[in-house]
Amino acid sequence: MSDCHGCSVATLPPPPIPTRRHIVAIVGPPNSGKSTLFNRLTGLRQKVANFPGVTVEHRMGKVKVEGGREVFAIDLPGVYSLEPRTEDERVTHDVLLGQMKDLPKPDAVLLIMDSTNLARHLVLAAPVLSLGLPTLVILNMADDLSRRGGGVDVAELSMQLGSPVALVSASRGEGFDKVFQFLAGTTQAAPRTAPLMQLPVIQDIPKCRAWAANVGTKGKYQAPAPPHWTRRLDAVFLHPVAGPLIFLVVVIALFQSIFFWAKPVMDLVQAAITSLGSWIGSLIPNPTLHSLVVDGVFNGVGSVVVFLPQILLLFLFIGILEDSGYLARAALIADRTMARFGLQGKSFIPLLSAYACAVPAIMATRTIENKRDRIATILIAPFMTCSARLPVYTLMIAAFIPDRRLLGIFLSMRAGVLLGLYVLGFLAAIFTARLLKSTVLKSNRSSFMLEMPPYRWPTFRSLGLRLVDRSKVFLRRAGTVILAVAIVIWVLAHLPVHNGQPPEIGQSIVGTIGHAVEPAIKPLGFNWKIGIGLITSLAAREVIVGTLGTIYGIEDPSAKSEGLQHALQQDLTLGGAVALLVFFAFAMQCMSTIAVVRRETGGWRWPIIQFAYMTGMAYACAFLVNQAITAWF
Amino acid sequence: MAVKKARQAKHNPLPNPGAANLMELRHGESGILDRLDLPDDDARRLMELGFLPGHAITPGHSAPGGDPRVFRVDGSEVALRRETAKKLILRQTSTEPAPRAAAKVS
C-alpha cells in the first residue's frame, strides 16, 4: 500500500492532462478470474474486438477512475507463460511488448492470479515483472483463501516482488480500493521499487517455479486446505454410475426447459409486438405505408424478435454450466465417447456452446492444441443445433406436430421432435467427424489435458453481462439484416406496379424469383415462398421466419401471430414441413459462420468444402424424407 | 481393476515408491514425478499445469471406465488420458531428496 501513497505524493506538481488514452493490460493464467475482474472494472462499458491479422478475440473496456478520468482496460487471453508458442501466448506477448499493430505499449499491467493456488500462478509473475512495466499483482479469490484457512502477507509479498499487491475477491467486489488507486496512478508516472527477490535469469518453467516457491515462502504464503466442496461434488458428478446419469439429465433438462419455460415469455413478447404493430399501424393513414410497416416490418422483424427469450434462456444455461465449473467435468465424461469419433474431450466444450451459436464455438476451438482435431471440430460445429435454428424449428413444430404427450409427464411430442432434431444434428456431426478423421484429417490419438477448476457459484453479474451481450447481438441483427430483408421483400412483393395497383404476390418480382427456383426445391416438398425464405436465410437461418412472416402477411393482411402457423398448415404438406426441418438441421445457412471459419482456418478452402458438404447433405436428406413421408401418408 | 481395490482417500496420501508411472498409482497413494517421456510440446504444457519433476502427484476421480483420470498436482487437478499418464515416470527410490522448490510449496 505504501507504494501507491508514495507515488501520489512524489508526483507534485501534477502532470499535464494526458491527451493519449491510457491502456492497462489484464494478464493472468486461465481460471484465475480474469474475466470476472474485467467485468467488475468495466461493467457494461466493454466490447469484444479482434486484433488485426490474428484470430484471438479480446475484450476492451473503459474503467472510470478517480477524478472522472478513464483508463482503457484490455482483457488478454489466459496464459501460463509469455513464450510465444501458441497464438494466445503470442498475442499476450506482443501486446505487452508493444509489438501489436495499432496498439501502443500498455502503460500498466494488472497481473491477476488465483490466491488459492498462488505458488503455481506466481510462475507467470517472473516473465511479466521482467518487462519492467508498472504492475499491480492482484491475488484473486481472497474469500476462498481465508475460508479454507490459507493466508498471505501482502506487504511482505509486495516487497519481495517490488510491485504493489492487492488481495481481492473479484466475484464479490472486495478489495478493489487498491486496484482503483493503482489505476488512478497509471495516468501519472507509476512507481517501481527493485524486487527483493531477484527475478530468475533463465526463465524456463522449473526455474520460474522454484523462484515462485521462494517468493511464496518469503511472503508467508499459507496454502489453503483442499477445496472440500469440490471434492464432495466431484464424488457425485464423477461417480461411475451417477456421473453419466446426471450428465444426461442436465442435457435433457436443458432442451426441455428452452421449449417450455420460454413459452410464457415468448407469448408475452408476441402479444406486445402485435399490439404495438396495430397501434402504430392505426397512426398511419397511407395504405401503402401502413402495409409496409405492419406487413413488412412488424410481421418480418417481429416474428424473429419473439425468439429472444428462448435464446437467452439457452445462453443462461450454458453460462451457468461454464461458470460453475461443471463443463470441464462434462468434457471429462465425454472424452471416451468423443475419442471413438476421433475427437477428444476438449472438443466437447466448443460443441456444446455451438448449441447456442457456432460463431463463439468456433472461436473456442483455439483451446484444442492438435491442429487436425481443431479443424475437424470447426467443420462439425455448425451441425450442432444453434439457437438461430430454434425459431424455424419452433414455428414448424407448432404448426405441424400435434400437442400430445409422448412419455407421460416427462416428454411431450413437440419437445420430443425438437429433441430428435437436436440428436439428428449431433449424429450428422459425429458421422462427419468420423469421416474426416479417418480420411483427410487422420492423426494419431491426440493428447488430452484439461485442468479441472474448483466448483464456484456463477455470479449474477457475469451471467447478466453475457445475456446483455447476446441480446445486443441478436437485436442488432434483427434491426439491421432482418429489417433490411423484410423491407426488400416487401418492396419486391409490391413490384411491378400495374395501373397504380400492386400485383398479386405470385406475379410480383418476389413471386417470379420464387417460381424460378421452385423446380429445384419442388422434390423436397417446398413451394416458391419457402424458396424465397431459403434464399434470404443464407444471411442467417432465422431470417426465413421473418421472410415468411412478411410474405404471408402481405398475402393475407388479416393474418396475425397465429396466422403464420395457420397459413403454413394450409400451404405446406407434412412431408414438406418435415423436409424443411431436416434441411435446416443440416444446411449451413449462416454468413457469420462462413466468415469465422474462413478466418480461423486461414483461407477459403475449408469454408467452401464445408458449405458444399452441408448443403448437399441437407438437400439429399430433405429429398428422401419428403419422398418417404409422401409415399407413406 | 484399480477402481475396485481403491482405498478410501485420505487427506494425506500414502507414498507408493514402487509405482513406475502415474497409471500404477492407486486411489489414496502418491508418487514423486521423475521425468516426462513425452514430446517437448506436450511436456511443456504439462509442466505449465504443474507436472514438474520433484512434485508429488495423487490420482483423483476419473471418467466412467477409469479413463481419463484426474491427477492432483501442485494445487491443481488435471485430467489426463491413460496413454499420457503412462509416460509420466515416477521416482523409484525414496532416498533421493526432492528439490527444494517442490518440498516447500503447498
Side-chain angles (χ1 to χ4, degrees):
Chain A
M1 196 167 297
S2 53
D3 311 15
C4 269
H5 282 302
C7 72
S8 42
V9 174
T11 45
L12 287 170
I17 294 159
T19 46
R20 189 173 80 73
R21 58 184 191 175
H22 283 260
I23 295 173
V24 175
I26 302 180
V27 189
N31 297 317
S32 55
K34 228 160 33 66
S35 303
T36 320
L37 173 82
F38 180 77
N39 287 340
R40 181 62 69 178
L41 290 176
T42 61
L44 287 172
R45 298 141 48 81
Q46 54 167 276
K47 62 171 190 197
V48 177
N50 262 90
F51 291 116
V54 291
T55 60
V56 178
E57 207 182 43
H58 72 290
R59 292 187 302 162
M60 243 192 150
K62 289 180 205 161
V63 189
K64 261 221 169 77
V65 294
E66 193 190 327
R69 278 171 310 184
E70 277 177 345
V71 174
F72 282 84
I74 302 180
D75 191 12
L76 292 172
V79 292
Y80 291 107
S81 75
L82 284 190
E83 272 177 62
R85 285 175 301 119
T86 67
E87 197 161 37
D88 277 359
E89 287 164 353
R90 193 158 50 242
V91 164
T92 305
H93 173 268
D94 288 358
V95 168
L96 289 180
L97 267 69
Q99 292 168 358
M100 184 59 72
K101 229 172 73 186
D102 301 337
L103 194 73
K105 193 170 174 170
D107 300 274
V109 174
L110 297 182
L111 173 62
I112 181 166
M113 41 194 68
D114 179 354
S115 66
T116 64
N117 201 350
L118 190 60
R120 195 160 77 73
H121 278 191
L122 263 175
V123 172
L124 183 61
V128 170
L129 292 177
S130 306
L131 297 173
L133 290 165
T135 303
L136 174 67
V137 178
I138 299 178
L139 312 181
N140 192 15
M141 329 245 178
D143 49 333
D144 222 19
L145 180 71
S146 62
R147 195 172 49 240
R148 279 158 50 190
V152 62
D153 184 337
V154 172
E156 186 58 43
L157 192 65
S158 163
M159 299 267 281
Q160 296 298 331
L161 293 171
S163 284
V165 175
L167 190 61
V168 312
S169 163
S171 60
R172 296 182 177 203
E174 289 164 5
F176 271 67
D177 295 357
K178 213 163 173 180
V179 179
F180 281 109
Q181 244 173 51
F182 174 80
L183 289 176
T186 61
T187 49
Q188 305 153 9
R192 259 201 81 166
T193 56
L196 284 183
M197 272 301 298
Q198 193 73 47
L199 290 167
V201 182
I202 304 162
Q203 298 196 333
D204 66 353
I205 305 170
K207 293 262 177 9
C208 287
R209 182 62 184 80
W211 172 83
N214 274 329
V215 172
T217 315
K218 294 256 174 64
K220 302 193 180 68
Y221 177 61
Q222 194 71 47
H228 287 298
W229 268 109
T230 294
R231 298 276 160 92
R232 268 176 231 167
L233 286 171
D234 270 343
V236 179
F237 289 138
L238 295 179
H239 187 271
V241 181
L245 280 179
I246 292 171
F247 178 81
L248 280 180
V249 167
V250 166
V251 173
I252 290 175
L254 198 145
F255 296 129
Q256 186 80 337
S257 61
I258 51 176
F259 208 64
F260 287 108
W261 294 3
K263 195 88 181 66
V265 191
M266 287 169 66
D267 288 345
L268 227 77
V269 175
Q270 177 73 69
I273 291 171
T274 311
S275 51
L276 185 68
S278 50
W279 178 70
I280 289 183
S282 70
L283 298 180
I284 304 171
N286 182 326
T288 311
L289 208 59
H290 179 274
S291 167
L292 172 65
V293 170
V294 176
D295 305 331
V297 174
F298 270 89
N299 274 340
V301 178
S303 46
V304 177
V305 171
V306 174
F307 294 96
L308 184 60
Q310 211 166 27
I311 287 163
L312 290 187
L313 201 61
L314 187 66
F315 272 93
L316 177 69
F317 262 108
I318 290 179
I320 292 173
L321 291 183
E322 195 174 341
D323 288 2
S324 64
Y326 182 74
L327 216 47
R329 274 76 185 178
L332 176 66
I333 293 177
D335 182 63
R336 287 262 289 203
T337 317
M338 304 294 284
R340 213 161 289 160
F341 308 113
L343 293 171
Q344 53 152 313
K346 276 195 183 175
S347 302
F348 178 79
I349 297 172
L351 291 182
L352 188 73
S353 45
Y355 279 118
C357 179
V359 175
I362 286 168
M363 290 177 179
T365 58
R366 275 186 287 109
T367 57
I368 304 170
E369 297 95 0
N370 184 305
K371 197 129 201 151
R372 283 160 177 251
D373 279 5
R374 188 176 160 212
I375 300 236
T377 310
I378 289 176
L379 293 182
I380 65 171
F383 274 118
M384 311 312 265
T385 306
C386 70
S387 55
R389 286 182 176 101
L390 267 180
V392 188
Y393 287 177
T394 317
L395 176 70
M396 300 307 289
I397 287 174
F400 286 91
I401 307 298
D403 192 9
R404 264 190 247 131
R405 297 253 156 245
L406 203 66
L407 285 174
I409 54 161
F410 294 114
L411 201 63
S412 78
M413 205 154 158
R414 287 179 172 176
V417 170
L418 186 67
L419 194 61
L421 285 164
Y422 275 86
V423 171
L424 192 66
F426 179 74
L427 292 178
I430 56 178
F431 167 77
T432 308
R434 200 66 208 260
L435 191 73
L436 287 168
K437 292 295 291 183
S438 54
T439 54
V440 282
L441 293 175
K442 205 170 198 157
S443 65
N444 295 330
R445 219 162 108 93
S446 52
S447 53
F448 167 78
M449 312 161 186
L450 186 63
E451 198 176 347
M452 300 278 129
Y455 291 101
R456 296 188 196 287
W457 281 111
T459 63
F460 285 111
R461 210 185 157 91
S462 93
L463 290 176
L465 279 169
R466 271 170 196 261
L467 297 190
V468 168
D469 209 42
R470 216 12 77 174
S471 310
K472 273 196 214 155
V473 170
F474 184 81
L475 291 176
R476 195 180 305 135
R477 194 145 80 180
T480 52
V481 179
I482 295 172
L483 178 68
V485 169
I487 292 175
V488 168
I489 293 288
W490 184 89
V491 170
L492 293 184
H494 284 78
L495 290 175
V497 178
H498 282 296
N499 312 325
Q501 283 296 313
E504 184 77 14
I505 191 160
Q507 262 70 57
S508 67
I509 295 181
V510 162
T512 316
I513 298 173
H515 286 301
V517 298
E518 199 171 20
I521 54 170
K522 193 120 200 171
L524 313 187
F526 304 162
N527 59 28
W528 66 268
K529 292 166 203 162
I530 302 289
I532 295 290
L534 290 182
I535 294 170
T536 57
S537 71
L538 283 172
R541 294 182 178 89
E542 70 270 32
V543 177
I544 190 177
V545 176
T547 305
L548 293 177
T550 305
I551 294 178
Y552 284 106
I554 295 168
E555 199 177 48
D556 177 13
S558 66
K560 282 277 143 45
S561 55
E562 294 293 312
L564 184 52
Q565 283 177 27
H566 195 71
L568 284 170
Q569 278 168 7
Q570 304 293 320
D571 219 31
L572 218 55
T573 61
L574 180 65
V578 178
L580 188 64
L581 289 174
V582 170
F583 187 89
F584 269 85
F586 296 151
M588 191 186 183
Q589 311 274 95
C590 181
M591 285 195 306
S592 322
T593 308
I594 295 174
V596 80
V597 172
R598 193 202 77 83
R599 214 178 57 197
E600 298 284 315
T601 59
W604 279 110
R605 182 168 150 236
W606 288 114
I608 287 172
I609 293 173
Q610 187 178 24
F611 183 80
Y613 174 77
M614 291 181 75
T615 309
M617 186 165 175
Y619 190 91
C621 294
F623 174 78
L624 290 176
V625 163
N626 179 45
Q627 298 300 322
I629 292 181
T630 317
W632 261 324
F633 294 97
Chain B
M1 274 192 57
V3 184
K4 283 192 182 153
K5 288 187 203 160
R7 276 175 254 164
Q8 185 62 41
K10 299 280 187 310
H11 292 312
N12 290 316
L14 294 169
N16 178 356
N21 62 54
L22 285 197
M23 280 320 289
E24 292 184 13
L25 287 174
R26 283 175 301 184
H27 208 60
E29 293 180 345
S30 77
I32 305 288
L33 186 64
D34 187 51
R35 60 181 198 278
L36 302 91
D37 273 355
L38 285 164
D40 263 7
D41 257 17
D42 284 355
R44 277 201 69 101
R45 210 153 272 285
L46 283 174
M47 291 204 280
E48 284 174 355
L49 290 168
F51 290 93
L52 281 166
H55 280 187
I57 301 174
T58 316
H61 295 283
S62 72
D67 185 30
R69 179 171 290 277
V70 176
F71 292 95
R72 293 177 192 141
V73 61
D74 202 6
S76 316
E77 308 207 339
V78 181
L80 300 178
R81 277 185 182 168
R82 188 188 298 267
E83 68 252 32
T84 311
K86 262 194 218 152
K87 301 284 178 56
L88 300 193
I89 311 300
L90 295 173
R91 200 163 281 174
Q92 294 291 301
T93 48
S94 48
T95 48
E96 197 182 328
R100 239 166 284 145
K104 279 196 181 165
V105 189
S106 45

